[in-house]
């Protein structure tokens, strides 16, 4: 990996971050007249902990990663954007990602006026590591990879991810939003081996908390310090911090839901290919199944008409004819199958 100083944008490296009242005072006190808050309406009158330390303690315990290797954001969409803003000079630098994949990498690049270079997966949705590395020229600061990948569902081949981590001298982001549904191990255990690695995870999927918006980025303390420097001071609100802690303290509830989702995934994997309108389904390591169906647009519309909404991926690279179906409750999956059976 290049020196971090040579990867980070010079203005970001040099700047002083905003210092909030709650950054400056630590300890206990009974009279808070430091942050221009309203003294009434407790507890919502107070600004939340800007560094979310209670929550990070719990995440550190759950994930086996030090507190200073954890960044928390408003969904993982926040670190996806912040990483580009930290490392890529607008109109000069670029990022590389794969196609098809999660759409926000490209949107975040476009918002920041950073070139988005995409490398198609193979027909079986495998990563072509050589082509990713060829695309990663001197102006490419970050490579975004998603594993298990959205919308294809498969985990990218581990050896190819190692090849990219070992060869590329910039930052490699592995987005593990769907890792809890996968039998593959997380790359969190590789953080110490690869100083250029950032792993993204979220409470939006297996933890069942998309509504509270909490995303996690894990990386070396030096990279995390850069993200902390440029985030909004109070980027994770008090309600989210409290609710996230509650959710993370109930790991058993998450595991029970996970078991149900995984067993329903097996049921759908058996049932879908037997239907006339389904040509094939792709292997999945996530909480959704990519299905190649007869006339995707018409099938999508027929489902909508019956109040069943899936994601139409017919116009996405390599996904012509495909619908992406999230695994729901047994009842929801029955409703899906009942409509498809009649087509
Ligand atoms: N990464 C991937 C691969 C996703 O599919 C999604 C959401 N669909 C996200 C990140 C964003 O998750 P969050 O809700 O944490 O912003």
């Amino acid at each position: 990996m290049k020196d971090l100083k040579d990867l980070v944008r010079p203005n970001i490296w040099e700047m002083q971050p905003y210092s909030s009242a709650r950054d400056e005072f630590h300890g206990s006190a009974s009279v808070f007249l430091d942050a221009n808050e309203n003294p009434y309406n407790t507890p919502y009158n107070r600004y939340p902990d800007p560094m979310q330390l209670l929550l990070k303690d719990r995440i550190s315990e759950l994930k086996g990663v030090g507190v200073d290797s954890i960044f928390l954001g408003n969904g993982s969409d926040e670190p996806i954007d912040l990483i580009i803003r930290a490392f890529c000079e607008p109109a000069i630098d670029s990022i590389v990602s794969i196609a098809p994949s999660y759409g926000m990498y490209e949107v975040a690049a476009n918002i920041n006026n950073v070139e988005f270079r995409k490398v198609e997966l193979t027909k079986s949705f495998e990563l072509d590591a050589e082509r990713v590395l060829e695309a990663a020229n001197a102006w490419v600061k970050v490579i975004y990879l998603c594993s298990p990948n959205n919308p294809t569902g498969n985990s990218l081949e581990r050896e190819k991810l190692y090849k990219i981590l070992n060869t590329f001298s910039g930052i490699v982001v592995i987005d593990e939003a769907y890792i809890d549904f996968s039998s593959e191990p997380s790359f969190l255990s590789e953080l110490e081996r690869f100083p250029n690695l950032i792993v993204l995870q979220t409470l939006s999927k297996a933890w069942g908390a998309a509504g509270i918006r909490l995303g996690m980025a894990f990386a070396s303390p030096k990279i995390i310090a850069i993200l902390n420097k440029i985030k909004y001071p109070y980027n994770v609100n008090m309600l989210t911090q409290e609710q996230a802690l509650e959710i993370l303290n109930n790991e058993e509830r998450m595991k029970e839901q996970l078991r149900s989702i995984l067993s329903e995934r097996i049921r759908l994997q058996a049932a879908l290919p037997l239907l006339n309108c389904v040509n094939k389904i792709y292997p999945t390591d996530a909480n959704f199944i990519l299905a190649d169906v007869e006339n995707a647009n018409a099938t999508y519309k027929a489902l909508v008409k019956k109040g069943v909404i899936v994601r139409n991926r017919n116009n996405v690279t390599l996904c012509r004819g495909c619908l992406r179906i999230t695994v729901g409750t047994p009842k929801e999956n029955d409703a899906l199958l009942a409509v498809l059976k009649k087509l």
Side-chain angles (χ1 to χ4, degrees):
M1 178 190 172
K2 281 188 191 152
D3 252 10
L4 197 58
K5 187 171 193 283
D6 297 327
L7 281 172
V8 174
R9 292 166 65 199
N11 61 310
I12 301 285
W13 189 265
E14 296 298 334
M15 65 168 262
Q16 287 302 315
Y18 175 72
S19 180
S20 67
R22 294 297 124 85
D23 277 323
E24 287 180 5
F25 175 77
H26 297 280
S28 59
S30 54
V31 181
F32 285 99
L33 304 176
D34 57 343
N36 298 346
E37 295 151 336
N38 180 328
Y40 307 107
N41 202 28
T42 304
Y44 305 112
N45 57 333
R46 299 296 173 197
Y47 282 102
D49 174 3
M51 299 307 285
Q52 311 102 14
L53 288 178
L54 277 179
L55 193 49
K56 282 183 185 166
D57 277 344
R58 177 63 184 137
I59 292 171
S60 166
E61 184 179 63
L62 270 173
K63 305 282 178 183
V65 172
V67 164
D68 54 2
S69 280
I70 304 172
F71 169 89
L72 299 181
N74 185 339
S76 21
D77 287 338
E78 182 179 354
I80 287 170
D81 175 57
L82 283 187
I83 292 164
I84 295 179
R85 285 164 60 193
F87 294 102
C88 300
E89 202 58 48
I92 296 177
D93 292 330
S94 318
I95 66 168
V96 165
S97 190
I98 49 177
S101 195
Y102 180 46
M104 276 307 285
Y105 314 136
E106 183 164 8
V107 171
N110 287 340
I111 290 170
N112 289 294
N113 195 17
V114 162
E115 185 196 358
F116 182 77
R117 302 168 69 101
K118 61 184 161 202
V119 175
E120 264 189 32
L121 297 173
T122 66
K123 293 245 172 324
S124 52
F125 302 143
E126 271 310 331
L127 181 63
D128 187 335
E130 302 299 337
R131 285 185 46 231
V132 167
L133 289 166
E134 274 166 30
N137 63 20
W139 288 273
V140 171
K141 296 292 166 57
V142 187
I143 298 177
Y144 280 83
L145 300 166
C146 183
S147 182
N149 188 34
N150 176 10
T152 59
N154 59 311
S155 295
L156 301 178
E157 235 176 282
R158 218 169 170 80
E159 284 313 310
K160 298 197 172 152
L161 294 173
Y162 284 129
K163 166 112 198 180
I164 291 172
L165 281 163
N166 275 315
T167 315
F168 182 55
S169 58
I171 302 292
V172 179
V173 177
I174 302 186
D175 184 344
E176 293 189 336
Y178 299 98
I179 192 67
D180 301 296
F181 305 103
S182 169
S183 45
E184 284 286 320
S186 163
F187 270 79
L188 277 185
S189 57
E190 305 287 9
L191 281 177
E192 288 191 3
R193 226 173 113 199
F194 297 107
N196 57 340
L197 171 63
I198 303 178
V199 175
L200 301 181
Q201 294 188 5
T202 179
L203 258 63
S204 297
K205 309 296 172 181
W207 288 98
I212 70 170
R213 313 302 302 133
L214 191 84
M216 304 170 271
F218 303 93
S220 72
K222 285 184 181 158
I223 292 179
I224 295 301
I226 301 284
L227 298 181
N228 282 333
K229 188 170 164 179
I230 64 175
K231 76 182 183 69
Y232 288 145
Y234 304 106
N235 62 326
V236 179
N237 72 69
M238 178 190 291
L239 299 174
T240 295
Q241 292 191 41
E242 284 174 6
Q243 189 58 34
L245 196 55
E246 219 246 35
I247 286 168
L248 292 169
N249 279 334
N250 202 337
E251 203 181 359
E252 227 3 85
R253 181 173 53 194
M254 181 277 271
K255 287 192 170 157
E256 207 177 294
Q257 293 171 0
L258 191 58
R259 279 193 289 275
S260 162
I261 292 166
L262 292 180
S263 85
E264 280 298 293
R265 184 175 82 185
I266 293 172
R267 183 166 78 96
L268 284 178
Q269 282 174 313
L272 287 168
L274 303 178
L275 302 172
N276 283 336
C277 66
V278 175
N279 297 325
K280 83 178 256 194
I281 61 166
Y282 288 94
T284 181
D285 254 344
N287 66 335
F288 56 83
I289 297 170
L290 191 69
D292 181 331
V293 299
E294 287 295 322
N295 197 341
N297 290 340
T299 305
Y300 175 78
K301 277 191 197 139
L303 283 163
V304 170
K305 216 167 156 191
K306 296 289 180 185
V308 178
I309 314 301
V310 297
R311 194 88 199 262
N312 188 352
R313 301 285 76 186
N314 190 34
N315 290 326
V316 169
T317 316
L318 298 180
C319 295
R320 183 148 295 286
C322 290
L323 302 180
R324 191 195 69 191
I325 302 169
T326 307
V327 179
T329 63
K331 210 171 142 197
E332 288 171 330
N333 301 330
D334 282 343
L336 168 92
L337 291 171
V339 181
L340 291 179
K341 219 172 260 176
K342 293 201 181 116
L343 299 180

